[in-house]
Each structure stands twice: as structure tokens, then as C-alpha cells.
Amino acid sequence: MAEQTHECWSILLAAGRGERLAGACAARGAAAKQFLSWKGAPLWWHSVAVLASVPLMHGIVLVFPPDLLESARREAQILVERRHPGVPLIIQAGGFRRQDSVRSGLEVLPASCGVVLVHDAARPFLSPALVTRTAAPLLKRNDIDGVIPGLPLTDTVKEVSVTAHGVLAACTPDRTRLRAVQTPQAFRADVLRLAHARADAEGWEVTDDASLLERCGRAVLIVDGDEGNRKITLPEDLEMLRENGEKQPCCGWGYDVHRYGGIRPLRIGGISIPCPEGANLGIVAHSDGDVLLHALMDAILGCMGGGDIGRMFPDSDPRWENASSSLMLEHVLDKAAKSGIRVTHADLTVIAQKPKLAPHAGEIVRNVARLLRLPLGHVNFKATTEEGLGFTGEVRGIKAAAMVMGLREESGAWREECC
Ligand code: CTP
Ligand code: MG
């Protein structure tokens, strides 16, 4: 078995004009079908995400229409920043026909590329398993130069003659000898380059790359295709991109500690808590030191991959000196809303030896629910001691933990940012 000595790259074809879908795309503000917004990203990005997730993939060449190259480049930059595909992306201008776009992509493939997968951005439903199934045989076998996915036909197919009397059935090929083929199609890069050079020299017109290898007498293996790997071509195919407004659940966890013996009056969940006689439960803090709201904010930031409150409200910033944590929470909720996240439930725990918090639980829940704009049953508050152990047990400080559930809606922000 030959060792993998060369890298595997992909050429993602997104340089078509999508003429059969032009009207529907214009109505949705997309220049062509590969730029339609789906699940918070342009259609072409979904293929990038799948191709890049396959361990054997080293990089991807993205081929865009020449007149849309700059806007597509900006779109790609934003998506790379937000989603990090983890492999290099090279952007290239396509050509007039699909095969011209492939050729153009081949020109910028690095010399280290030994196997290249050519994939249509109009097939956004490809699976990582299909990518691996298509690429892997070329890395293991020397007797083939290409691998393509194919599906047996279920319909009987006719060869026809188009005549003045109409389209006439000419003959019926044996269906068992036919396959409907898809992309990605994998090839040895040097063989595909030669095949394209020959096609150019001899004026061959093809609709896929495997046909070029067939004409060159090269062996192309057909592996099982994937029924789900459909191509978006006609207006009725847009049904496959229909979004049902489905939101993804997300959750976050937060934790905070404050030391007693400070000057800030004790506040928990935005409520002033009276200090038992003889104890100094004043809080040491830069802001108002509401340990519960701080844990809650960290949990919300956790939901959205937003870091922590230390980063959002640095101690060094005088704006947050004695700042109201309720106000800081408002900023965090605003940030969450901009990320398409709505908090749906919060479970909050304060750990303190003193003061006794049970008498304040109802008020804390009501206030936090008000701040989160949630029904009362969607906020839970618990208080516990640590049985006299540790710093809470010694009444040197107080801590809080928060668990938050939310729903995330994919936003189309990538488009607003790049247009
Ligand atoms: N493609 C390309 N360059 C071209 C033509 C097509 O990169 N000059 C790409 C398309 O972007 C698509 C894939 O090849 O991802 C398959 O082509 P097809 O489904 O025919 O797309 P379009 O050519 O864009 O659509 P239409 O034929 O309706 O104009
Ligand atoms: Mg086309």
C-alpha cells in the first residue's frame, strides 16, 4: 500500500452565475445561489466547513466569479475570523464555464498538493464521510487516478432524438450500467492538470472532471454516493434550504467570589441584604460587588462564547468603579441579544455562612427574573453554607455559581458586516 506522501486539497467551485435560480436569488439579495444565506452563512461556506473538518484535508481553493471577487473575499475574511476553518483558504477568480473555473483553481493549488477534490458549492449537504470515502482510495491505491461518488438510477432513462415531430425515444440504456454522479470528485492533481490542458487544447466541453480523465483513458473509481448530497439548481430546490426558525440550545456556567471586610454594602441579585449585627459583611470590590449577578453575567457570556466579565468590564476602567451590577447585566444581555441569544432559564446558587439568605430568596428571584425579563418559574435561587469549612465557613467571603440556558438563533450578521 502506498504511503500518503502528498497533501490533499479541495477546489470549491462557487464561480457560477446560477442562471436557473437568478430570480429567486435577486429576491433574497444574493448575487447568485452560492451566496444565498443559509443557517447564518452563505451557502458556499457550508462546503468549506465540511471539507475543512475532514482530517486529511490540507487546504481549500475557493473559486468565485471574477466580478464578485472582492465582496466574496470580504465575506470569506469575516467568516474565517468568526468560524476558523483551521486550514488555509486560497481565493481565486473563476472562468466562464465550470471547467474554466476548475482550471483556474488548479493554477493556484500549492505544489505540495498530490490529491485534489473538486466540489460544487451548489452541493452544501455533503458529509465528511463522503469526502473521506472519495479521497481515501487515491491515498491508498496506485491503480486509479480518480474517485467519484455515484448513485444507481431508479428511473428508466431514454436516449432521445429531438425531431420536428417532437422528442422521440431512441433507445433505453441498461439502467444497471448507469450511475448518477456527484461531487466531490477526487483526482491526482498532476493527472487532472494534464487532462484539463488536453481539454483546452482539443476543445473538449464537459460537465464534470471525471469525463476528462475518462477521455484520457485514466481509471476513475466510482464509490457510493450520498442521496442527501443534492445540488441546488432549480427554484424548487430552494425548499431544501427552508429554515424552520429552529434555534439551537446553549448553556453557560459562571462563578464568582468576593471577600468580606470591604466598604460596599452587601447586594445579592440586585437586592440590598441587611448585615447581621456585629458582622462586617461589606464587600471588597471594584464595582458594587454583587457576587450573584457577576456569576450570572459570566454564565450568560459563557452561553455566547463571550469570554468573561473581567474582559468586558476591566477593573482598571474607572467607568466600572462602584458600578451597578444590574446595569452591567443590561450590557451583557444587550451583547447576548446581538449574538442572537435569548436567555431562557437561570439556576443560581449563593454559598455563604452568613448572612442567612432564605428570607430574601423570593425577592432575589423576582428581581433577577425582572432583570432577565423571564417568568418567575424560569429563575431559581438557592443558598447554602459550606458547613463552616473554608473561607465561606470562616465568614471571610461569599461565592456564587450560576447556570444559564439559552436559545441561539443563527444571525445573518456576516452579510451586514461585509456589505
Ligand atoms: N461553476 C463555477 N464556474 C462556472 C460555472 C459553474 O464555478 N463558470 C460552479 C457553480 O458555482 C456551482 C457548480 O459549478 O457550484 C455547478 O454548476 P451549476 O449547478 O450549473 O451552477 P451555475 O452554473 O451557477 O448555475 P446555472 O447553470 O443555473 O447558471
Ligand atoms: Mg451551470
Side-chain angles (χ1 to χ4, degrees), residues 292 296 345-349 378-382 401-405:
L292 185 59
L296 174 61
H345 191 94
D347 186 18
L348 311 168
T349 305
H378 294 212
V379 174
N380 187 58
F381 174 77
K382 306 187 281 295
M403 173 69 103
V404 158
M405 295 293 297

Side-chain angles (χ1 to χ4, degrees), residues 13 15-20 33 95-97 101 120-122 231:
L13 295 175
R17 288 168 298 278
E19 273 158 9
R20 287 166 285 183
K33 62 186 179 184
F96 186 68
R97 300 166 302 174
S101 294
D120 291 344
K231 184 155 79 78

Side-chain angles (χ1 to χ4, degrees), residues 17 85 93 112 172 220 229 330 384 415:
R17 288 168 298 278
S112 53
T172 308
V220 176
N229 179 30
E330 206 47 60
T384 184
R415 174 165 288 168

